[in-house]
Amino acid sequence: MSPTDAAARAAAGAGTAQRSVVTTEPWHRIPFAAPGVFRVRPLPREATASYAQRLADTYQLTLPQLLDGSGITLHRHGTPPTAELILTPGAARRLAVLARTALPQLTCALPHLPLSDTAHDTEAAANWKRLDAGQQPVRACTLCTRHRSHNATDTAWIHPPPHQLVCPRHHQAAPDPRLTSTVHTRDVPELAAAHHAHQRLLRHPRAATAWITARAITTRWYDHQQHLTHRWHTRLTQLRATNPHVTTTGSASPALLTRGLITYPETVALARVLTTLPSGHHHTTNGALTLIARRLALAHLAPSANDPLRVFLTHTRH
C-alpha cells in the first residue's frame, strides 16, 4: 500500500469516527469524569458532604474545585454538619466514578445519596441544603476516618444508628452535632460495655421499641435529676476531665452535649429489661420495678405516679 493510499484510508477512518460521535445519543456527548487515582472508602451512614470533602482532601483540593473538575455544578453555600450536599443522580454517578467506588456501594453507605438507575438523567448538579438540628450528622471517630482517608483528614460526619453511638475500638463518640471534636471515652469503660450489650439487644424482635421507650425514660430522668443523678454526675465529671473541649463548645452546657453518652449504659440496661418483661397481665408493676432496680444496680426504685417508667408499666399491664 502506497503512502498516499495509507493517508487516504486514515482520513476516511477519522471521518467515520467523527460521524459516529455526531450521531451518538445526546447524553453520551458529555465527557464523563475520569476514574480517580485513589479509592476513598465511605464510612457507614456518612453524610454526602462529608464524603465529598474527604475525597477533595485526598487530592488536596477544595470541595468546589473537586466538583468542578468532575463536571458537577455546585449551587449555594454550606458546610457540614449544619448543611448537606444534595446530588442529582447524574452527579452521584460522576462522584462514584471519581471515587473508584461502585455506585450501589456508595448509595448504600451514604443515606442522602439519590437512588436512581436512570442512565439518561445527565444533569450533574449539587445543591447545599440546610438541616434542622435533629437531622444533622455527628462527628465520626477520628482514627476510623483517617484510616479511610489515606491519612488526608480525620474529619468526617455521619448519621450513626443508636447502637453505634460509641466506637468500641478507638473509644470515641460524638453524641451531639454541636461537638466539633469527638469525646474520648476510654476512662469510662462502662460505655464500651454498653455498646456490646446493645449489639446483643438487637437480636430481640422488640429491640427497637424497647430502645425508644428506654431512651425517653432515661432522658426524662436525666433532665429532671431523678433516680440516677449521682451516678450520672460522676460520669459527667469523668468525661469533662478527659475532654475539656466540651466546656467550650458554643453555648450548650457539657451536661447537655454529653447527655446521650452519660445515660447510655442505663438506657441499654433498661431496654434489655423491657424486652424480657412478660406482656399484658402476666406481670405486676411492683414486680417489674423490682427487676428494673436490680438491673440498674439500684437499692430500690419507687417512681412517682407520673414518672414515665411507672406510666409505661401501668399502661402495658392490660
Side-chain angles (χ1 to χ4, degrees):
M1 180 184 297
S2 68
T4 303
D5 293 338
R9 179 170 295 184
T16 302
Q18 185 176 9
R19 287 193 300 272
S20 177
V21 171
V22 171
T23 57
T24 304
E25 292 294 332
W27 62 277
H28 276 153
R29 298 179 190 174
I30 302 174
F32 208 74
V37 176
F38 300 106
R39 182 176 184 270
V40 178
R41 291 186 296 161
L43 292 164
R45 299 189 62 79
E46 186 172 3
T48 304
S50 170
Y51 180 71
Q53 182 61 64
R54 286 201 300 117
L55 191 58
D57 291 337
T58 302
Y59 289 100
Q60 299 184 13
L61 299 171
T62 65
L63 180 57
Q65 288 173 339
L66 178 84
L67 297 178
D68 183 65
S70 303
I72 299 174
T73 303
L74 179 62
H75 300 285
R76 302 180 183 176
H77 301 278
T79 55
T82 58
E84 175 61 302
L85 200 59
I86 307 300
L87 303 183
T88 62
R93 290 196 300 273
R94 288 173 176 264
L95 185 68
V97 171
L98 181 64
R100 303 183 71 90
T101 302
L103 183 56
Q105 179 183 349
L106 201 60
T107 302
C108 183
L110 309 183
H112 290 166
L113 208 62
L115 293 170
S116 175
D117 58 358
T118 305
H120 294 274
D121 186 355
T122 59
E123 182 187 10
N127 292 271
W128 282 106
K129 177 183 178 183
R130 187 165 183 83
L131 300 175
D132 295 333
Q135 299 175 320
Q136 293 177 12
V138 299
R139 182 78 182 268
C141 171
T142 58
L143 296 179
C144 290
T145 302
R146 185 166 291 279
H147 177 68
R148 295 200 180 199
S149 305
H150 300 278
N151 290 320
T153 181
D154 63 3
T155 302
W157 300 90
I158 59 174
H159 299 272
H163 63 277
Q164 292 180 2
L165 178 64
V166 179
C167 175
R169 181 178 180 183
H170 301 122
H171 303 280
Q172 295 186 28
D176 193 289
R178 289 167 290 189
L179 287 166
T180 56
S181 300
T182 56
V183 175
H184 295 272
T185 63
R186 192 178 297 275
D187 291 340
V188 190
E190 61 265 34
L191 293 175
H195 169 83
H196 295 299
H198 204 161
Q199 311 313 302
R200 294 192 296 272
L201 170 65
L202 296 179
R203 304 170 189 168
H204 198 282
R206 298 203 305 268
T209 302
W211 169 259
I212 293 173
T213 302
R215 185 172 58 180
I217 291 171
T218 56
T219 299
R220 170 71 177 272
W221 288 353
Y222 184 87
D223 291 344
H224 288 76
Q225 300 185 29
Q226 296 174 321
H227 308 306
L228 296 156
T229 302
H230 178 72
R231 184 186 308 175
W232 285 338
H233 180 74
T234 300
R235 196 171 293 155
L236 173 61
T237 302
Q238 292 173 318
L239 290 174
R240 290 181 63 177
T242 53
N243 300 276
H245 63 277
V246 301
T247 64
T248 59
T249 302
S251 59
S253 68
L256 182 59
L257 291 172
T258 59
R259 178 175 61 185
L261 274 180
I262 292 171
T263 62
Y264 186 54
E266 288 71 33
T267 303
V268 174
L270 178 57
R272 295 185 69 187
V273 178
L274 296 182
T275 61
T276 62
L277 290 179
S279 59
H281 62 278
H282 297 291
H283 78 269
T284 64
T285 300
N286 289 336
L289 288 174
T290 300
L291 175 60
I292 292 171
R294 185 165 64 249
R295 296 289 181 85
L296 295 180
L298 292 172
H300 67 280
L301 183 60
S304 62
N306 61 350
D307 186 278
L309 177 59
R310 184 177 288 278
V311 171
F312 171 79
L313 294 174
T314 303
H315 288 175
T316 56
R317 285 183 59 188
H318 303 289

